[in-house]
Amino acid sequence: MFGRKKKQEKDGRRSVKNFGRRIKDLLTRSGGTGEDFYESLEDLLVEADFGAAAAVELVDELRENRNSSSGDWTRDDLVAGLKDIIRPSLKTADLTPDPEKLTLYLVLGVNGVGKTTTIAKMAHRFHNESSGDIVLAAGDTFRAAAIAQLEIHGKRVGARVVKQNHGSDPGAVIYDAINSAMSQGDKVVIADTAGRMHNRTNLVRELSKIDRIARDRLGKAGMYRKILVIDATTGQNGMRQAETFHKSIGIDAVVMAKYDSSAKGGLVAAISRELNLPFAYLGRGEGMDDLVPFNPDIYLDELLAGD
Ligand SMILES: Nc1nc2c(ncn2[C@@H]2O[C@H](COP(=O)(O)OP(=O)(O)OP(=O)(O)O)[C@@H](O)[C@H]2O)c(=O)[nH]1
Ligand SMILES: [Mg+2]
């Protein structure tokens, strides 16, 4: 049993399908009828990271939509019913750089979620789409190693890194990076930020300051996108992070990193439903090509697949 779980965790595509398989088992067990069926379905939704409130709402909606003459739930009905309810809240964000304007992507998120890796993957993607030279801003000045890590990634994907010393003002680094891009005619700046501070109030205050500096420097001629990275394996913590960042700084798009190692998947639906935020990409591995544009229909097919 333990061995099997380990294997599922390693194989992202299979483990993401876990929820769909469990639905299938539930239908076999319950015959798709009765109070127990609905309660167990609610439990499965909670286990899949939809969150308790959304799980109750979704099951209530399913029940209401069900015609009394429809009989027991079949797998096809249930999958279609869940898709009908979840699909409308799923939105995509297209982060393709504007060739006419300088675009700044400010990448936010708590420590360890996958920000720096996501930045490298985005730079790699934009570079391949011939968006010109990409500038990376080493805005995580809180840890010395963070600057070095961004430089390694910069070399790997062929992007220029603008940095200052460890401990310097991150707003100043990002200001410099925007100036550098403007003077060289580059169109894309992707800025790293720290995910950790002495405490959360400090982090939010620091990020709000960066936000003001970046907005002022870019002005109307630029495009500004605030990207929140969430770790797919953190469950309802991810939901709370999204709430906090969106409330205090305002988020334009979410990237769900480590989606390959997530045993669940409902977090995407929960964040979409509760916060009405669009998703840009799913991170599906550590490689530079493992950043896949979010596609709601593929997401739902995978989530609900029963094989
Ligand atoms: N499997 C998998 N691992 C990932 C993915 N994205 C990032 N990682 C790994 O997660 C770990 C943390 O990634 P970082 O990019 O350093 O995260 P961060 O948010 O910049 O971390 P801090 O700078 O410490 O706040 C690294 O080992 C990455 O290789 C992903 O999509 N899939
Ligand atoms: Mg980092």
Side-chain angles (χ1 to χ4, degrees):
M1 180 66 195
F2 181 70
R4 188 160 159 234
K5 184 158 180 275
K6 262 253 166 337
K7 189 161 183 296
Q8 284 176 3
E9 276 168 6
K10 269 188 160 169
D11 181 348
R13 296 186 77 87
R14 280 186 57 195
S15 51
V16 169
K17 288 177 184 170
N18 233 346
F19 176 62
R21 271 208 309 276
R22 287 178 183 200
I23 287 187
K24 201 171 162 185
D25 295 345
L26 168 63
L27 285 168
T28 313
R29 241 184 12 250
S30 68
T33 183
E35 227 8 73
D36 280 359
F37 162 73
Y38 286 110
E39 272 179 25
S40 304
L41 181 62
E42 223 170 82
D43 291 344
L44 288 189
L45 287 161
V46 173
E47 282 167 28
D49 279 347
F50 280 82
V56 172
E57 284 168 25
L58 289 172
V59 170
D60 280 353
E61 259 183 74
L62 259 186
R63 242 196 249 245
E64 276 164 27
N65 292 354
R66 189 73 173 165
N67 195 319
S68 56
S69 61
S70 305
D72 299 345
W73 283 96
T74 65
R75 207 181 99 70
D76 285 351
D77 291 344
L78 188 55
V79 166
L82 284 168
K83 281 185 180 176
D84 282 349
I85 297 173
I86 300 169
R87 181 65 183 82
S89 59
L90 300 175
K91 295 188 186 62
T92 55
D94 180 4
L95 294 183
T96 311
D98 185 332
E100 304 300 325
K101 285 181 180 172
L102 171 61
T103 306
L104 168 70
Y105 301 91
L106 186 69
V107 178
L108 307 156
V110 302
N111 59 296
V113 288
K115 294 181 296 299
T116 310
T117 313
T118 298
I119 289 169
K121 290 173 180 171
M122 285 171 68
H124 177 66
R125 168 175 281 273
F126 297 159
H127 192 73
N128 286 349
E129 286 168 354
S130 11
S131 299
D133 284 347
I134 315 291
V135 179
L136 304 183
D140 181 358
T141 60
F142 193 68
R143 287 187 308 121
I147 302 170
Q149 189 194 359
L150 195 70
E151 284 188 298
I152 293 167
H153 278 307
K155 274 213 183 78
R156 192 193 288 179
V157 301
R160 186 154 58 86
V161 175
V162 173
K163 59 168 185 173
Q164 287 181 16
N165 291 333
H166 163 222
S168 57
D169 176 9
V173 177
I174 293 166
Y175 189 90
D176 276 2
I178 297 171
N179 280 347
S180 167
M182 283 176 169
S183 69
Q184 309 230 0
D186 300 327
K187 296 293 182 212
V188 178
V189 177
I190 313 177
D192 200 5
T193 59
R196 182 180 3 216
M197 283 278 142
H198 302 289
N199 60 52
R200 190 190 269 186
T201 318
N202 271 351
L203 178 65
V204 168
R205 194 182 303 136
E206 189 71 53
L207 294 175
S208 306
K209 209 173 102 191
I210 295 176
D211 183 35
R212 266 197 316 278
I213 294 172
R215 187 185 309 280
D216 287 354
R217 183 64 194 99
L218 265 178
K220 288 214 170 60
M223 194 161 81
Y224 182 29
R225 293 279 178 268
K226 284 174 273 185
I227 318 299
L228 180 67
V229 180
I230 300 275
D231 177 338
T233 66
T234 55
Q236 287 306 292
N237 246 330
M239 183 75 220
R240 282 190 288 278
Q241 289 160 23
E243 273 167 358
T244 305
F245 276 86
H246 191 41
K247 205 170 97 200
S248 46
I249 299 147
I251 297 301
D252 297 305
V254 182
V255 173
M256 186 65 78
K258 308 187 202 179
Y259 196 69
D260 50 312
S261 39
S262 164
K264 295 157 184 187
L267 188 55
V268 172
I271 292 175
S272 305
R273 193 178 167 91
E274 301 295 317
L275 299 175
N276 199 22
L277 281 172
F279 278 75
Y281 301 110
L282 300 180
R284 306 202 73 149
E286 293 177 89
M288 290 299 105
D289 290 316
D290 296 329
L291 189 70
V292 184
F294 176 62
N295 178 316
D297 297 314
I298 294 176
Y299 160 76
L300 281 176
D301 282 344
E302 283 186 3
L303 184 76
L304 298 167
D307 50 6

